[in-house]
């Protein structure tokens, strides 16, 4: 189902993000089978950094075969028009009807302007010209790490939507107020497509360290203190409780579109969904 149809209602709509595992695809498929009962609208499948598009065609089909609709992510930085056209058409040929169009992080060894695509809005336009895929894009409640400020980042986001994006998927956040502020500013800019909240349950200190090094993500006091205090299963439990509170607050504020960064694990997401549905 296309993104515009998926989000064309006020019901709680969830989706799960996974990444292609380095080794054990079967393990990922088993984890997905466990969370199938929560009836996600789709599973989104990331692609590696470095701008090589998304060539996980086998995995897309396997996820499809166990009963999930799939939204592959697709990065364009350092790719040619030809390779992107080939990639997106191959994805469409698999029977997929939606894609997340991304620029991708700039690889260290190239200069941005040497290639055919500079920014994600160019990819959105290209996908719309070449395919019938519905197109999601990334949004950053606290501003993208390269942007001067949130305002300019939202103007570029508007550009992506005006070019033809059908939905916005946000980077994870731990402070819902940042998300509500983002929604308000997005609304003021006249951006009308659905904005889907990115939720990531914390499972390790290393994960928090990595995320905050790569992106602008505020850690609220309570969150920071818990990450310092807890480890192992205690931290996993805190992560579940914290994400549950975030989701309940979002739902209370009529934000029913939730995208879970699963990290290829079913445990925390299952607990959160059990909590919010009980
Ligand atoms: P853009 O929208 O192009 O924005 C990039 C930067 O350029 C921003 O600072 C923006 O403000 C600025 N900008 C945009 N347009 C212009 C313009 N015309 N002129 C000047 N400045 C401009 N990465 C992966 O490698 N694989 C994934 O699977 C993946 N999945 C993701 C999923 C989600 C939901 C999110 C939020 C991010 C994901 N990323 C992924 C990370 C993403 O690739 C990086 O954040 C990347 O640096 C920016 O991609 P973008 O599509 O947001 O870029």
């Amino acid at each position: 189902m296309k993104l515009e149809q998926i989000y064309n209602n006020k019901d709680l709509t969830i989706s799960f993000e996974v990444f292609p595992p380095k080794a054990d695809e079967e393990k990922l498929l088993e984890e997905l089978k466990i969370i199938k009962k929560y009836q996600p609208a789709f599973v989104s499948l990331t692609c590696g950094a470095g701008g090589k598009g998304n060539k996980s065609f086998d995995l897309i089909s396997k996820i499809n075969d166990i009963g999930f609709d799939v939204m592959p992510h697709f990065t364009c930085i350092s790719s040619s028009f030809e390779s992107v056209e080939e990639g997106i058409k191959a994805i469409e040929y698999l029977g997929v009807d939606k894609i997340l169009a991304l620029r991708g992080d700039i690889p260290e060894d190239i200069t941005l302007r040497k290639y055919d695509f500079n920014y994600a809005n160019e990819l959105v336009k290209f996908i719309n010209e070449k395919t019938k895929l519905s197109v999601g894009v990334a949004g950053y409640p606290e501003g993208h790490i390269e942007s001067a400020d949130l305002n300019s980042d939202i103007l570029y986001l508007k550009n992506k939507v005006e070019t033809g994006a059908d939905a916005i998927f946000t980077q994870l956040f731990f402070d819902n107020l940042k998300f509500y502020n983002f929604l308000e500013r997005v609304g003021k800019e006249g951006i009308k497509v659905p904005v889907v909240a990115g939720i990531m349950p914390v499972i390790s200190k290393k994960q928090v360290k990595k995320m905050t090094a790569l992106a602008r993500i505020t850690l609220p006091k309570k969150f920071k203190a818990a990450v310092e205090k807890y480890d192992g299963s205690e931290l996993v439990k805190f992560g579940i409780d914290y994400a549950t509170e975030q989701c309940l607050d979002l739902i209370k504020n009529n934000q029913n579109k939730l995208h879970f960064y699963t990290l290829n694990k079913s445990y925390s997401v299952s607990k959160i969904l059990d909590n919010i549905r009980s």
Side-chain angles (χ1 to χ4, degrees), residues 23-52:
D24 199 351
E25 277 187 2
E26 280 313 309
K27 173 91 180 97
L28 169 62
L29 297 174
E30 287 310 312
E31 293 290 300
L32 280 174
K33 282 179 195 164
I34 295 170
I35 45 180
K36 195 174 165 197
K37 66 175 180 192
Y38 298 104
Q39 299 182 315
F42 58 88
V43 165
S44 88
L45 179 65
T46 70
C47 51
K52 299 188 186 77

Side-chain angles (χ1 to χ4, degrees), residues 17 45-51 73-75 100-106 113 118-122 137-140 144-147 152-153 156 159-160 169-172 259 261:
E17 181 168 314
L45 179 65
T46 70
C47 51
H73 297 199
F74 200 99
T75 49
L100 188 67
L102 300 150
R103 183 198 68 181
D105 286 334
I106 302 169
R113 296 198 174 270
N118 295 312
Y119 297 106
N121 68 295
E122 296 159 28
V137 290
Y140 302 86
H144 181 256
I145 194 145
E146 289 165 30
S147 64
S152 59
D153 201 34
Y156 289 128
N159 198 8
K160 290 196 274 196
F169 292 82
T170 78
Q171 179 167 276
L172 62 109
H259 184 67
Y261 294 94

Side-chain angles (χ1 to χ4, degrees), residues 58-261:
D58 271 4
L59 187 55
I60 293 170
S61 296
K62 285 181 190 167
I63 297 174
N64 225 254
D65 288 345
I66 57 169
F68 292 100
D69 216 3
V70 184
M71 177 174 78
H73 297 199
F74 200 99
T75 49
C76 62
I77 189 70
S78 79
S79 293
S80 65
F81 291 130
E82 292 75 21
S83 67
V84 170
E85 182 166 354
E86 200 181 304
I88 57 179
K89 286 193 168 160
I91 283 172
E92 194 174 33
Y93 187 72
L94 294 173
V96 165
D97 64 359
K98 54 191 150 307
I99 195 164
L100 188 67
L102 300 150
R103 183 198 68 181
D105 286 334
I106 302 169
E108 278 169 13
D109 59 345
I110 66 152
T111 56
L112 180 58
R113 296 198 174 270
K114 264 184 171 163
Y115 295 86
D116 289 344
F117 296 87
N118 295 312
Y119 297 106
N121 68 295
E122 296 159 28
L123 178 62
V124 174
K125 182 167 179 273
F126 192 77
I127 293 170
N128 278 321
E129 282 168 3
K130 302 286 178 188
T131 72
K132 293 190 164 40
L133 295 165
S134 83
V135 185
V137 290
Y140 302 86
E142 303 184 53
H144 181 256
I145 194 145
E146 289 165 30
S147 64
D149 51 46
L150 184 56
N151 273 344
S152 59
D153 201 34
I154 289 179
L155 290 178
Y156 289 128
L157 176 61
K158 185 178 179 183
N159 198 8
K160 290 196 274 196
V161 173
E162 286 175 344
T163 313
D166 302 299
I168 297 164
F169 292 82
T170 78
Q171 179 167 276
L172 62 109
F173 54 89
F174 295 113
D175 182 348
N176 283 7
L177 292 179
K178 302 281 178 195
F179 180 73
Y180 300 138
N181 172 55
F182 176 70
L183 279 183
E184 193 184 327
R185 291 165 83 161
V186 160
K188 276 192 185 145
E189 284 306 327
I191 299 173
K192 295 211 162 46
V193 298
V195 180
V196 185
I199 301 292
M200 182 185 273
V202 169
I203 54 173
S204 75
K205 288 180 194 292
K206 198 172 132 202
Q207 166 206 9
V208 176
K209 212 169 165 189
K210 190 172 161 199
M211 281 170 337
T212 46
L214 293 174
R216 247 179 235 159
I217 302 169
T218 300
L219 303 184
K221 250 190 191 162
K222 172 183 163 184
F223 183 93
K224 215 171 166 179
V227 172
E228 275 161 24
K229 184 173 166 198
Y230 300 129
D231 211 348
S233 60
E234 279 190 329
L235 186 56
V236 171
K237 183 177 179 325
F238 167 79
I240 292 166
D241 292 344
Y242 193 90
T244 299
E245 270 179 43
Q246 268 193 290
C247 292
L248 288 174
D249 181 71
L250 287 164
I251 293 167
K252 196 173 88 193
N253 285 285
N254 301 317
Q255 298 307 315
N256 291 325
K257 300 177 276 299
L258 307 178
H259 184 67
F260 289 94
Y261 294 94

